[in-house]
Amino acid sequence: MAKIQLSKGGYTPIPEGEHIFKIVKSTYDEDFGKLEVEMITANGQKHIERFSLISNDGEINEKAQNAFSYFAKTALNNFNLEEIDHEDIVGCYLKCKVEHDVQPSKNDPAKTVTFIKLTEKSPASGFENEESEIPTSSEAKSTPATKKNSKIDLDDLLG
């Protein structure tokens, strides 16, 4: 029987302040309008931005589409885009301010949950002033989205 060493630490939220993120994976489920963008900092901390582009009643979620439109245009540093493939943003960098939203846990009101909010987004060309970039092996393990060639019309996103 094999023994596996367990870590002593748990989840540590990305500290508040300015950070640069590299987009390493983008997954879009056309059937449900769910878009997940996986990002990583230079020191390996992960963050996932989620956009529900279609509401539960099947209608376009304009707020989420506007938010993704700004996110994508900023990541690509091109505010004239009208349409992209969701995977076009993979490999792009964003500089963001990380803010914490601490809320009571729904399961145990004595505990708190920290939500990460990214604000003040701007394009970045890489990890600035960082000692090293993330290992490429983590990028190689990312799997392509299930729906290839999915186009997202940015005109629809802008309303």
Side-chain angles (χ1 to χ4, degrees):
M1 181 170 3
K3 295 199 180 219
I4 300 170
Q5 181 70 35
L6 301 178
S7 67
K8 294 179 182 173
Y11 170 75
T12 303
I14 297 169
E16 288 188 305
E18 193 173 88
H19 296 275
I20 294 177
F21 294 88
K22 181 177 184 178
I23 299 171
V24 294
K25 185 177 176 183
S26 176
T27 307
Y28 182 54
D29 183 338
E30 279 185 280
D31 295 333
F32 297 101
K34 303 290 185 193
L35 178 67
E36 284 193 354
V37 180
E38 295 182 24
M39 304 170 6
I40 194 162
T41 63
N43 66 357
Q45 289 185 289
K46 295 178 183 179
H47 176 73
I48 298 175
E49 283 287 290
R50 292 180 174 88
F51 301 91
S52 295
L53 303 176
I54 299 174
S55 63
N56 290 338
D57 61 4
E59 299 294 319
I60 293 172
N61 182 346
E62 288 186 37
K63 288 181 181 181
Q65 289 189 327
N66 287 338
F68 175 69
S69 178
Y70 181 76
F71 180 91
K73 288 179 177 186
T74 302
L76 292 164
N77 196 19
N78 185 344
F79 289 86
N80 296 316
L81 293 170
E82 294 182 17
E83 181 179 86
I84 66 166
D85 182 289
H86 67 93
E87 292 180 337
D88 290 348
I89 59 176
V90 174
C92 293
Y93 293 83
L94 281 171
K95 183 184 290 187
C96 305
K97 182 178 178 185
V98 172
E99 296 178 358
H100 289 177
D101 180 14
V102 181
Q103 299 288 324
S105 171
K106 291 180 181 178
N107 297 333
D108 183 355
K111 295 182 180 179
T112 59
V113 178
T114 302
F115 295 97
I116 301 294
K117 181 178 179 182
L118 302 183
T119 64
E120 300 179 25
K121 297 173 187 78
S122 62
S125 58
F127 293 119
E128 300 171 358
N129 301 322
E130 301 289 342
E131 290 181 16
S132 65
E133 293 194 10
I134 57 171
T136 55
S137 62
S138 64
E139 294 171 26
K141 291 181 183 177
S142 66
T143 56
T146 18
K147 303 281 184 176
K148 291 212 177 211
N149 300 323
S150 299
K151 294 284 184 187
I152 299 170
D153 187 345
L154 293 181
D155 283 338
D156 287 341
L157 300 179
L158 296 174

